[in-house]
């Protein structure tokens, strides 16, 4: 690993990652609090009811989700504080689009439209509408657009994903703890 100082653009990407999902975390916290309150009231006021016991695993799952989300954001915060990134070079072994364990397949035209949409959003340009495809394009920006280099999978985003082919040699600039890809360069 050869550490390199973060640029201002890299810092902004890490800050954006940290701030994304904060509203969702607050909503999750509120749901957890409501769930704990409901379970507590259920045990106190309805001791013979079975639903409070059934609700406990759901609240625990929400708590686990919140913990994992906070953990990922903390990794980005540590990367930001360290102020360093690393370069990884290699040949792209495999490309895949996924969400969780589900592999998703798109035709190249739809992928191009998704990349164009993300670029329009990032640059503040007017958003081009495609009618029936809009919902699919909007949901597609949340997928994992991964490339595998030497047994490690990196999310490069839709814009780089459409440019990279399997077998291409690439250089990634990656935040060491969070593994967020900050820049992609074709070699």
């Amino acid at each position: 690993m050869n550490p390199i100082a973060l640029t201002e653009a890299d810092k902004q990407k890490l800050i954006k990652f940290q701030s994304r999902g904060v509203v969702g975390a607050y909503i999750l916290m509120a749901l957890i609090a409501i769930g704990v309150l409901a379970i507590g009231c259920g045990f106190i006021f309805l001791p013979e009811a079975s639903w409070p016991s059934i609700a406990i695993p759901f609240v625990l799952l929400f708590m686990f989700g919140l913990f994992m989300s906070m953990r990922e954001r903390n990794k980005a915060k540590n990367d930001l504080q360290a102020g360093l990134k690393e370069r990884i070079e290699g040949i792209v072994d495999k490309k895949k689009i996924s969400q969780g364990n589900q592999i998703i397949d798109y035709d190249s035209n739809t992928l191009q439209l998704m990349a164009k949409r993300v670029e329009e959003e990032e640059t503040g340009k007017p958003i081009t509408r495609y009618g029936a495809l809009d919902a699919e394009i909007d949901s597609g920006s949340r997928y994992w657009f991964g490339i595998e280099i030497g047994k490690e999978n990196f999310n490069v985003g839709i814009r780089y994903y459409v440019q990279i082919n399997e077998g291409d040699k690439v250089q990634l600039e990656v935040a060491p703890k969070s593994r967020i890809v900050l820049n992609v360069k074709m070699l």
Side-chain angles (χ1 to χ4, degrees):
M1 181 181 101
N2 52 348
I4 306 157
L6 292 173
T7 65
E8 195 56 41
D10 297 335
K11 291 176 184 176
Q12 290 305 316
K13 283 183 183 179
L14 289 171
I15 289 169
K16 183 179 176 184
F17 177 81
Q18 275 186 289
S19 64
R20 188 177 22 160
V22 170
V23 173
Y26 286 131
I27 291 170
L28 202 51
M29 283 183 214
L31 288 172
I32 291 168
I34 290 168
V36 168
L37 185 63
I39 290 169
C41 289
F43 279 127
I44 292 170
F45 297 114
L46 302 166
E48 66 281 343
S50 62
W51 67 264
S53 300
I54 296 170
I56 291 172
F58 292 103
V59 171
L60 291 175
L61 281 173
F62 281 12
M63 291 171 87
F64 179 72
L66 180 63
F67 169 76
M68 294 304 287
S69 173
M70 299 301 276
R71 185 173 155 246
E72 290 304 310
R73 276 159 191 48
N74 194 39
K75 287 179 184 178
K77 180 181 176 184
N78 290 340
D79 286 333
L80 197 55
Q81 289 172 344
L84 298 173
K85 61 184 174 183
E86 64 185 54
R87 279 200 180 112
I88 297 172
E89 283 187 22
I91 306 266
V92 177
D93 299 321
K94 191 170 27 173
K95 287 175 49 170
K96 68 178 176 181
I97 305 169
S98 61
Q99 184 175 32
N101 291 332
Q102 179 184 9
I103 304 295
I104 299 159
D105 192 26
Y106 282 108
D107 64 287
S108 62
N109 186 41
T110 305
L111 287 173
Q112 292 291 339
L113 295 176
M114 284 180 189
K116 183 178 177 186
R117 173 71 54 88
V118 168
E119 183 180 344
E120 290 170 346
E121 289 171 352
E122 288 177 357
T123 58
K125 293 179 182 174
I127 304 296
T128 307
R129 296 291 170 195
Y130 302 101
L133 275 178
D134 277 338
E136 187 66 34
I137 290 171
D138 289 340
S139 70
S141 64
R142 293 185 294 272
Y143 296 144
W144 179 277
F145 293 92
I147 61 170
E148 189 175 296
I149 298 174
K151 304 268 189 239
E152 190 171 359
N153 197 357
F154 298 95
N155 183 4
V156 294
I158 181 66
R159 290 173 59 198
Y160 289 116
Y161 184 87
V162 297
Q163 297 172 13
I164 297 172
N165 295 311
E166 289 181 5
D168 286 353
K169 186 170 184 178
V170 295
Q171 179 185 72
L172 306 177
E173 292 180 352
V174 180
K177 292 201 184 294
S178 62
R179 307 310 281 170
I180 296 171
V181 175
L182 302 169
N183 197 12
V184 178
K185 186 177 180 182
M186 314 290 210
L187 299 177

